């Protein structure tokens, strides 16, 4: 076929082929513009988010007048100005809505992801596998980025390479012995939820009396811990109930959190034998001692670090504002923490800094706190533009029937030895052991059948760990016992029971089906009573805690996201270019998240050679270093990386 005929054929394909864009944020805006200008005429775009002021510096399809409106709808309207003849359908919705089933995905010849969280990426990956539709994955972080193609039976899927579980700090560290600013920021976010949001027993902020380090007698020491408010004993009632009983009085809250609870911690003598003991704060003393108005420092407001009294006043103001917001919403209302909500951000900034001061840490600016608490990854508009352009180029190869010429392409910060910023790598074949795209997906899970509840299996293991949306679980016991049903209320009575109550024991097998994803997973249960403290289960064969050697260039340790709220790992390739091309993918979700807390993990394997797509030269690729589903924020010494949900 002549070159001109190929171009005519491709132009015809562009005008008739229906494509789906998932996400209308940093990459999504650039991608939508590129598609209509390239000649794509039938486009559907879906995004759950609304436009925020913080989006305007890089998501150029949006303007100030659009703040608060649907991203998908405004992106459609703006893109149509480039090409009024295009047929664009916008959905202000979650791609995980059951309405977008396998039949929905089969309408498209190509799906392009511009997402910012792992859960949605996992889901779209599975839907494209079920529908047998090519998927183009992408992500950016600062100057770094990458694009890859996923095709059932030909390439690795998004989940072929195991993602390490999140590294979470033990509750006793958060509640009793914080040693890094991130511990205090996590505590402050927990506190926000306990006071104003949805209460979670796993996010308690009061002193942990079960701390294994503290060998002490609670009855004896409690008597020594003086409390300024008799009704401030939050051990008897929930934190929210106690706060309501005080009318959300900011000074009572302050003294309870930063004085009484700290004095209670001091009674746990053994905790402070090898640590510097915390120093309680008293509102009245600070008010008498500190100036009522502190002179603001130099520089931008968000980058200033206030004094102790400054954070006391900020705490008071934010509590009063949040209390008013809660009252306006009515009885039983809850607030949702948002990094872009000033009172919520003020609350976390002030509470975290006051706790840092108590535990003798250097306090942080609002900007630094927001970066860690809000899972913010640096977003550069030009990086998004380059990656969006690469997505379209890979899409054109797919429409031309040249899937074999598709590549995983890495965008680096600095040129490699061949003076390239863009490094293409051959796509890897599917992993035989993948628990998603294998012909018969199987996995082995180690847990304690006498302590693992059915609800834990459903929410923590099947939904959170294995990415299912609405699982049905049957025990392979010869009777076909239904353990979990996706039909509401059908197996609700089972939720609080333990797996052992249903005859599940070492070696038992469960069949988990998700009909929305057209996905079945066989689970072999290994019973154990030797799991570490705070570990509910382990997936056999994964080693998420084996971290690689420290990186010499800390700048390269960034989460690959599309510059939106949460982070997630875009690549399905387990390989990276040679040393001089190296970029590290640190996965976390945005996970805002975050949700959701992960340390760099995944063993580095043997190097192997692949032909460079652009030059025919040979380039070395090595397994890439991955990280968890929420955004990564380095601690003071940059040794630990945590992601917040």
């Amino acid at each position: 076929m002549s070159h001109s005929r190929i171009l005519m054929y491709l132009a015809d394909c562009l005008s008739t082929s229906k494509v789906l864009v998932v996400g209308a944020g940093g990459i999504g805006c650039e991608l939508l513009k590129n598609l209509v200008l390239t000649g794509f005429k039938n486009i559907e775009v879906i995004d759950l988010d609304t436009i925020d002021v913080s989006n305007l510096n890089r998501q150029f399809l949006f303007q100030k007048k659009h703040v608060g409106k649907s991203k998908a709808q405004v992106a459609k309207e703006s893109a149509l100005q480039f090409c009024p003849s295009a047929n664009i359908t916008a959905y202000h919705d979650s791609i995980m809505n059951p309405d977008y089933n396998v039949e929905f995905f089969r309408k498209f010849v190509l799906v392009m992801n511009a997402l910012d969280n792992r859960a949605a990426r996992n889901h779209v990956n599975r839907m494209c596998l079920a529908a047998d539709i090519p998927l183009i994955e992408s992500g950016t972080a600062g100057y770094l980025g990458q694009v890859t193609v996923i095709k059932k039976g030909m390439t690795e899927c998004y989940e072929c390479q195991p993602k390490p579980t999140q590294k979470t700090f033990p509750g006793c560290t958060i509640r009793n012995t914080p040693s890094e600013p991130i511990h205090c920021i996590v505590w402050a976010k927990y506190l926000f939820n306990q006071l104003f949001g949805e209460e979670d027993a796993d996010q308690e902020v009061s002193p942990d009396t079960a701390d294994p380090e503290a060998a002490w007698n609670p009855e004896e020491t409690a008597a020594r811990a003086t409390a300024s408010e008799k009704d401030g004993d939050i051990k008897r009632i929930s934190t929210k109930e106690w706060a309501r009983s005080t009318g959300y009085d900011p000074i009572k809250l302050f003294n309870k959190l930063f004085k009484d609870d700290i004095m209670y911690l001091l009674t746990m003598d053994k905790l402070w034998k090898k640590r510097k003991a915390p120093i309680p704060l008293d509102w009245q003393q600070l008010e008498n001692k500190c100036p009522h108005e502190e002179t603001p420092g130099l520089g931008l407001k968000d980058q200033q670090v206030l004094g102790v009294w400054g954070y006391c006043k900020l705490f008071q103001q934010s509590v009063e504002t949040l209390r008013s917001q809660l009252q306006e919403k009515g009885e039983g209302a809850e607030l949702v923490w948002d990094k872009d909500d000033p009172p919520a951000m003020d609350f976390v900034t002030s509470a975290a800094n006051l706790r840092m001061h108590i535990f003798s840490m250097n306090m942080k600016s609002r900007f630094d706190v927001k970066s860690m608490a809000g899972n913010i990854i640096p977003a550069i508009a030009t990086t998004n533009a380059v990656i969006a352009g690469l997505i379209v180029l890979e899409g054109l190869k797919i429409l031309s029937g040249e899937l074999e010429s598709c590549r995983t392409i890495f965008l680096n910060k600095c040129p490699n030895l061949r003076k390239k910023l863009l490094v293409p790598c051959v796509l890897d074949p599917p992993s035989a052991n993948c628990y998603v795209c294998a012909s018969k997906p199987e996995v082995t899970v180690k847990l304690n059948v006498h302590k693992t509840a059915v609800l834990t299996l459903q929410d923590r293991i099947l939904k959170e760990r294995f990415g299912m949306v609405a699982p049905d679980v049957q025990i392979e016991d010869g009777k076909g016992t239904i353990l979990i049903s996706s039909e509401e209320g059908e197996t609700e009575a089972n939720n609080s029971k333990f797996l052992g109550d249903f005859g599940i024991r070492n070696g038992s097998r469960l069949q988990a089906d998700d009909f929305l994803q057209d996905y079945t997973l066989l689970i072999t249960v290994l019973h154990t009573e030797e799991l570490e403290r705070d570990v509910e289960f382990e997936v056999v064969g994964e080693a998420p805690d084996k971290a690689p050697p420290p990186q010499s260039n800390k700048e390269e340790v960034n989460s690959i996201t599309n510059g939106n709220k949460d982070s997630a790992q875009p690549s399905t390739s387990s390989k990276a270019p040679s040393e001089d091309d190296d970029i590290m993918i640190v996965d976390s979700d945005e996970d805002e998240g975050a949700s959701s807390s992960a340390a760099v993990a995944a063993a580095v394997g043997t190097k192997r050679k692949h032909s460079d797509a652009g030059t025919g030269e040979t380039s070395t690729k090595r397994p890439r270093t991955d990280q968890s589903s929420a955004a990564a924020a380095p601690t003071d010494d940059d040794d630990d990386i945590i992601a917040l949900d």
Side-chain angles (χ1 to χ4, degrees), residues 303-331:
Q303 294 181 349
Q304 295 169 9
V305 177
L306 306 179
V308 176
W309 183 245
Y311 284 122
C312 291
K313 296 300 287 181
L314 188 63
F315 178 83
Q316 181 183 35
Q317 292 161 11
S318 61
V319 168
E320 289 170 350
T321 305
L322 293 168
R323 176 180 62 193
S324 299
Q325 289 181 0
L326 205 56
Q327 288 171 348
E328 286 173 12
K329 284 179 171 280
E331 186 66 29

Side-chain angles (χ1 to χ4, degrees), residues 84-101:
S85 62
N87 177 25
I88 304 176
T89 304
Y91 302 92
H92 179 61
D93 206 348
S94 167
I95 192 62
M96 298 174 76
N97 186 319
D99 291 342
Y100 309 112
N101 53 22

